[in-house]
Amino acid sequence: MDKLEKVVNICENILEGIETETLPASSALLKCLQIARLLNDAEAVIWLQYEYGGYPRDKNGEIAKSAREVGYTNGRGYIRNGERKIFLTLAAELEKRVIARQHAAGNFSTQGVSVSGERADSAMRQLMDSVNHYTKDLIDNIALDEKKLSILKARYYDYALRKYSELAFGNAAADVFAVYRERVDHHFSKLSHSTVLQLKAIEDKITSDNPEVFSQAVTTCRRLFQNTAEELFNRYFPDYSDSTYETKSGRFIDISGDHYINKLSAVIEKIQNKSAAKSAAGSSILYTLDWINNLNRLQCEGVHAKITRRDAMQCIIHTYICLGDILNLQDDYKG
């Protein structure tokens, strides 16, 4: 079992335990701390360590401001006299206190008590009032402690649920993308040798630590668009010699020179019109072209300005998926 699978199992254990009320809050806390450690979630580790060991105080004995903010934003906050406060009792302490108070409340009783004498009735009433008073205080305090425990349990549950959802979605997305990538790579492999080499060049550039290479990666993405557009246009319009193309709507677009986006538009329209089934990409031409335009602007920015690895990676991912969707349209094409 790898680390992520272990985390998913821990998350499921927390969620089920809290839902069925079989997992104490203190145990859920420790499991959440384990999740945070395994995922290197530094912010959550700090919060959960405070939850387990107590919120730190400064040299004056006051709760440190940063720690108070952590507690306030994680369910412990309340307002008193216009000031932000947090309750400090830990989950384990609350659980022990609830058990002790429940036991004490069960022991308060007038059963078996007898009094005699001329003031017996008055003494019995005073005794019953006293028992009722202390019992009510205990019950109120138990309810308050249980409310605090419920707040903490909800926070631990929420953390486990968020991490479970992130990992579950990530695993599902990875599986889906693996299938998608297999199809796209099959189509890319049918392109010219020079185009395939550009794909390899992108991979080599993004693994570099040189920031200048990131801009080169973006430029290579643009060239990949250009080469793919030229190849597909020549494939589906082998004898086309005009400089413009009339779209389905009757608009003429320029396909001369470097107008590769317009060439892709013509290819998409032709493939869509002759497909047996309309794929998501084929039925969303406007969205796809807008995506290409946005990507082109990002690429132009990369040529003239220093960009980050993150910018380059975003450009590469968009290029791959956008061209992949166009290439996948060919699966249903009936030429």
Side-chain angles (χ1 to χ4, degrees):
M1 179 186 300
D2 63 20
K3 182 169 67 174
L4 294 184
E5 288 178 327
K6 184 176 182 180
V7 171
V8 169
N9 288 339
I10 297 171
C11 289
E12 290 177 334
N13 185 271
I14 293 171
L15 299 176
E16 182 178 356
I18 292 179
E19 289 168 353
T20 59
E21 298 185 345
T22 57
L23 185 68
S26 55
S27 297
L29 161 61
L30 288 175
K31 289 181 181 293
C32 285
L33 184 56
Q34 186 180 14
I35 292 171
R37 176 179 58 80
L38 290 171
L39 294 178
N40 295 317
D41 188 349
E43 186 175 334
V45 167
I46 293 174
W47 160 52
L48 294 164
Q49 283 180 331
Y50 291 166
E51 288 290 308
Y52 179 69
Y55 283 74
R57 299 177 183 269
D58 58 25
K59 60 183 179 180
N60 298 318
E62 299 292 332
I63 300 298
K65 183 178 179 181
S66 59
R68 187 169 62 250
E69 285 301 312
V70 170
Y72 193 91
T73 57
N74 282 285
R76 289 181 171 271
Y78 63 95
I79 302 294
R80 176 184 290 173
N81 299 326
E83 293 187 28
R84 288 154 59 103
K85 305 283 187 180
I86 64 171
F87 67 86
L88 297 172
T89 314
L90 303 181
E93 295 172 334
L94 287 168
E95 288 170 336
K96 290 179 181 179
R97 202 159 69 185
V98 166
I99 293 173
R101 284 174 168 169
Q102 287 175 335
H103 180 72
N107 289 336
F108 274 114
S109 172
T110 58
Q111 185 176 359
V113 176
S114 63
V115 294
S116 60
E118 57 183 26
R119 301 186 61 184
D121 289 344
S122 176
M124 180 58 74
R125 281 196 301 272
Q126 290 180 352
L127 179 60
M128 292 180 65
D129 288 344
S130 178
V131 168
N132 290 336
H133 172 74
Y134 283 114
T135 301
K136 182 180 182 302
D137 281 349
L138 279 172
I139 291 174
D140 289 344
N141 286 326
I142 290 170
L144 180 59
D145 286 344
E146 287 181 334
K147 179 180 179 181
K148 292 177 180 178
L149 272 174
S150 295
I151 291 172
L152 297 182
K153 274 188 177 183
R155 298 302 300 186
Y156 307 152
Y157 183 93
D158 179 68
Y159 180 74
L161 181 60
R162 281 190 289 111
K163 294 305 172 184
Y164 177 81
S165 299
E166 289 171 9
L167 293 173
F169 177 78
N171 290 338
D175 292 340
V176 170
F177 190 76
V179 175
Y180 175 84
R181 181 178 178 180
E182 183 178 352
R183 291 181 59 194
V184 173
D185 288 349
H186 171 71
H187 287 296
F188 271 126
S189 68
K190 295 182 178 180
L191 297 177
S192 68
H193 183 62
S194 61
T195 302
V196 174
L197 286 178
Q198 286 182 347
L199 285 170
K200 177 61 178 174
I202 291 175
E203 179 184 350
D204 293 340
K205 288 181 172 64
I206 203 61
T207 56
S208 171
D209 293 326
N210 184 357
E212 294 181 2
V213 176
F214 301 152
S215 178
Q216 296 173 17
V218 174
T219 303
T220 303
C221 284
R222 186 173 58 187
R223 289 174 182 161
L224 181 59
F225 261 114
Q226 291 174 319
N227 283 14
T228 304
E230 290 289 345
E231 286 197 45
L232 292 180
F233 189 84
N234 291 335
R235 179 184 301 173
Y236 291 100
F237 299 92
D239 300 319
Y240 203 89
S241 58
D242 292 345
S243 61
T244 60
Y245 172 81
E246 184 178 3
T247 66
K248 189 177 178 180
S249 62
R251 185 170 65 93
F252 286 88
I253 57 177
D254 189 353
I255 56 171
S256 64
D258 293 332
H259 293 90
Y260 63 92
I261 293 180
N262 287 344
K263 289 180 180 178
L264 278 177
S265 177
V267 170
I268 292 172
E269 185 174 89
K270 182 168 185 178
I271 295 176
Q272 180 197 12
N273 288 342
K274 297 205 175 173
S275 293
K278 308 300 184 184
S279 71
S283 61
S284 307
I285 291 179
L286 293 179
Y287 172 77
T288 304
L289 293 180
D290 183 59
W291 193 0
I292 295 173
N293 282 323
N294 289 335
L295 183 57
N296 183 52
R297 284 193 290 271
L298 175 61
Q299 291 167 338
C300 289
E301 177 187 351
V303 172
H304 301 293
K306 182 178 178 180
I307 64 171
T308 65
R309 183 195 297 272
R310 180 177 178 179
D311 293 330
M313 289 183 68
Q314 181 182 3
C315 180
I316 291 168
I317 292 171
H318 282 211
T319 298
Y320 185 87
I321 295 177
C322 187
L323 290 179
D325 284 347
I326 296 170
L327 292 170
N328 279 332
L329 277 175
Q330 298 174 101
D331 289 343
D332 295 320
Y333 178 69
K334 306 295 182 182

